[in-house]
Amino acid sequence: MEEKYIEIFNYVKSVLSCSAHNMDHVLRVYKISLEIAETEKDVDLDILVPSALLHDIARVKESEDTSGSVDHSVLGAEMAGDFLKSKNYSDEQIDKIKHCIRAHRFRTGNYPESIEAKILFDADKLDAIGAIGVARCLMLSGQHGQRLTNHENMLEYEKNNIVENGRIKDLAEHTPIVEYETKLKKIPSKLYTESAKKMSKGRMELMNNFFETLKDEIKINI
Amino acid sequence: MEEKYIEIFNYVKSVLSCSAHNMDHVLRVYKISLEIAETEKDVDLDILVPSALLHDIARVKESEDTSGSVDHSVLGAEMAGDFLKSKNYSDEQIDKIKHCIRAHRFRTGNYPESIEAKILFDADKLDAIGAIGVARCLMLSGQHGQRLTNHENMLEYEKNNIVENGRIKDLAEHTPIVEYETKLKKIPSKLYTESAKKMSKGRMELMNNFFETLKDEIKINI
């Protein structure tokens, strides 16, 4: 990592100190962002690198918040802006970085417009597919005490109105297989850059093969 | 499931009620045991099926025990014996079933001698490899709040003497990649029956490919 970004890196590390998972993810997204940037034109690394390092700084605050009103992409953009202001970044740079952070999230209403925002979005999504995507999905699922599948209860969930767009609303009743079917599968169609689309192919092949084999091994037809 | 085993099934379900994970595993082991039994000679299903259904009944007691002295294969054999005595199983049958349950565990000093014990051992191990093995390993790891890898800290762990046979003794510091490298990889060489060895091939291919790709994606050389 270039010397000039170390200060940002240390700030992120201090904010995310309680979550090694988050920090590991941030470093992977940083690396994938640089990989994608190599094949794209006119990328400003002084926008992309701080955005990649700072994109999840509000993750801890989001998960600590019980009201459900904190969106880490929105709050993270504000926190990043405040931090960078104290580090002599220009207003123009700060606005561009805030846009990247705000637009990195799937569900947010802010879509990536600049090339740096598109690269960060794609890098973040690539880390949710492939072997690493499978691993993150399953580890999170274990953390919430979920079962591999609740397919035998799906009819009942639907009857009780706790299914929304194929997803189970109660986190403890949600499952990694439902996560794959309703969300992870669709990631490649959402990507912006050509190199991310290319990188997604091998990753999706492994992920599809993994989940289809899993369903076969546990004898489930969904 | 044959009518005559339903009573055992319901007993196991009541004992493992707090852990759907355990019950799902039991049913997969039951199914794999029957698959292996089809290709083996002189298998007594009245020994194998009760053993498969009952093999993990002491799992909950083992994990509730803080002293670390409860071995679920030893205690499970005793619990199974007491239950089957009340269900008109003969002493000879009970002894055979207790042997299967006692010998199903990797680390126990009791090795499987009968064909039913060998089948149960193999079925239980097959459920720890393949896509289902990857899933169980990662979900358990998430449940313990582990990171994917702690490779950058390994030297320090070794210095502080918390590594034993390549495994990190502190469960929170243990990782799924270490679990794969030190334990899961070796499973095929421990299997007894020819059909389990055959079934392990495709499963290990997927598992090896998964972990090698994962290490590659997260840029780790172990």
Side-chain angles (χ1 to χ4, degrees):
Chain A
M1 191 175 295
E2 276 188 67
E3 187 62 31
K4 61 181 171 181
Y5 302 128
I6 296 292
E7 209 172 3
I8 302 178
F9 171 73
N10 286 333
Y11 166 67
V12 177
K13 216 169 148 179
S14 73
V15 177
L16 295 180
S17 61
C18 66
S19 171
H21 284 283
N22 288 343
M23 200 61 212
D24 292 340
H25 163 71
V26 164
L27 284 175
R28 290 192 302 268
V29 169
Y30 158 75
K31 281 184 193 170
I32 304 173
S33 293
L34 289 182
E35 266 183 71
I36 301 176
E38 274 175 28
T39 63
E40 296 291 324
K41 278 178 203 155
D42 301 324
V43 180
D44 186 346
L45 291 183
D46 281 335
I47 301 303
L48 179 61
V49 173
S51 302
L53 291 175
L54 292 160
H55 82 281
D56 264 354
I57 39 168
R59 270 278 181 205
V60 175
K61 285 210 191 300
E62 186 184 75
S63 50
E64 279 169 1
D65 167 60
T66 50
S67 72
S69 63
V70 171
D71 178 329
H72 77 273
S73 63
V74 177
L75 178 61
E78 295 313 308
M79 286 169 68
D82 292 344
F83 172 75
L84 294 171
K85 210 167 271 173
S86 72
K87 298 296 164 196
N88 295 323
Y89 276 70
S90 73
D91 285 350
E92 197 194 343
Q93 284 178 312
I94 291 176
D95 280 347
K96 287 179 179 172
I97 292 168
K98 284 173 75 174
H99 166 65
C100 292
I101 297 175
R102 226 180 279 117
H104 87 270
R105 204 181 185 201
F106 232 5
R107 283 167 284 185
T108 181
N110 306 293
Y111 296 98
E113 284 162 13
S114 65
I115 182 63
E116 295 83 9
K118 287 174 183 168
I119 292 175
L120 173 59
F121 181 96
D122 285 0
D124 190 47
K125 300 307 157 283
L126 284 174
D127 202 52
I129 58 175
I132 181 66
V134 168
R136 289 178 68 204
C137 166
L138 289 165
M139 288 172 83
L140 199 66
S141 153
Q143 202 181 308
H144 291 296
Q146 295 169 1
R147 287 170 65 198
L148 263 178
T149 170
N150 271 333
H151 67 291
E152 76 274 26
N153 299 330
M154 266 312 229
L155 273 179
E156 205 177 316
Y157 294 150
E158 277 166 11
K159 229 181 349 197
N160 293 329
N161 200 26
I162 64 164
V163 177
E164 198 171 60
N165 302 325
R167 294 170 66 82
I168 300 156
K169 284 190 264 181
D170 180 346
L171 206 57
E173 299 292 327
H174 190 56
T175 75
I177 291 180
V178 171
E179 181 74 6
Y180 163 69
E181 298 286 347
T182 60
K183 189 174 159 192
L184 303 177
K185 248 184 179 177
K186 296 172 187 163
I187 285 182
S189 67
K190 315 257 179 188
L191 299 172
Y192 290 92
T193 67
E194 282 312 309
S195 46
K197 284 178 196 167
K198 217 168 141 184
M199 286 163 78
S200 76
K201 279 188 188 144
R203 287 182 181 239
M204 276 317 288
E205 212 172 285
L206 183 143
M207 184 174 243
N208 289 334
N209 178 47
F210 176 84
F211 277 106
E212 295 310 324
T213 308
L214 180 66
K215 288 192 282 181
D216 194 47
E217 282 175 9
I218 61 181
K219 316 265 185 258
I220 287 170
N221 297 312
I222 292 182
Chain B
M1 192 176 292
E2 278 188 66
E3 187 63 31
K4 60 182 172 180
Y5 302 129
I6 297 291
E7 210 172 4
I8 303 179
F9 171 74
N10 286 334
Y11 166 66
V12 177
K13 217 168 148 184
S14 73
V15 177
L16 294 180
S17 61
C18 64
S19 172
H21 284 282
N22 288 343
M23 200 60 213
D24 291 341
H25 163 71
V26 164
L27 284 175
R28 290 192 303 268
V29 169
Y30 157 76
K31 281 183 193 171
I32 304 172
S33 294
L34 290 182
E35 265 184 72
I36 300 176
E38 275 175 28
T39 64
E40 297 290 325
K41 278 180 205 153
D42 302 324
V43 180
D44 185 346
L45 291 183
D46 281 334
I47 301 302
L48 179 61
V49 173
S51 301
L53 291 174
L54 292 160
H55 81 281
D56 264 353
I57 38 167
R59 269 279 180 206
V60 175
K61 287 212 189 298
E62 184 183 77
S63 50
E64 279 170 1
D65 167 60
T66 50
S67 72
S69 64
V70 171
D71 179 330
H72 77 273
S73 63
V74 178
L75 177 61
E78 295 313 309
M79 287 169 67
D82 292 344
F83 172 74
L84 294 171
K85 211 166 271 175
S86 72
K87 298 295 162 197
N88 295 324
Y89 276 71
S90 73
D91 285 350
E92 197 195 346
Q93 284 178 312
I94 291 177
D95 279 347
K96 286 179 180 173
I97 293 169
K98 284 173 77 173
H99 166 65
C100 292
I101 297 176
R102 226 182 279 116
H104 87 270
R105 203 180 186 202
F106 230 6
R107 283 167 286 186
T108 180
N110 306 295
Y111 296 98
E113 285 163 14
S114 64
I115 182 62
E116 294 83 9
K118 287 174 184 169
I119 292 175
L120 173 60
F121 180 95
D122 285 0
D124 190 46
K125 300 306 157 285
L126 284 174
D127 201 51
I129 58 175
I132 181 65
V134 168
R136 289 178 68 203
C137 166
L138 290 165
M139 288 171 84
L140 199 65
S141 155
Q143 202 181 309
H144 291 296
Q146 296 170 0
R147 288 170 65 199
L148 263 179
T149 169
N150 271 332
H151 66 291
E152 75 276 25
N153 300 331
M154 265 312 229
L155 274 179
E156 206 178 314
Y157 294 150
E158 276 165 12
K159 230 180 348 197
N160 294 329
N161 199 27
I162 64 163
V163 178
E164 200 172 60
N165 302 326
R167 296 170 66 83
I168 301 157
K169 284 191 264 179
D170 180 345
L171 206 57
E173 300 291 328
H174 190 56
T175 75
I177 292 181
V178 171
E179 181 74 6
Y180 163 69
E181 297 286 346
T182 60
K183 189 172 159 193
L184 304 178
K185 248 184 178 178
K186 296 172 188 162
I187 285 181
S189 67
K190 315 257 180 189
L191 299 172
Y192 291 92
T193 66
E194 282 313 309
S195 45
K197 284 179 195 166
K198 216 167 143 186
M199 287 163 78
S200 77
K201 280 190 187 140
R203 287 183 180 237
M204 276 317 287
E205 212 172 285
L206 183 144
M207 184 174 243
N208 288 334
N209 178 48
F210 176 84
F211 278 107
E212 294 310 324
T213 308
L214 180 65
K215 289 192 281 180
D216 194 48
E217 281 175 9
I218 62 181
K219 316 266 184 258
I220 285 168
N221 297 311
I222 293 182

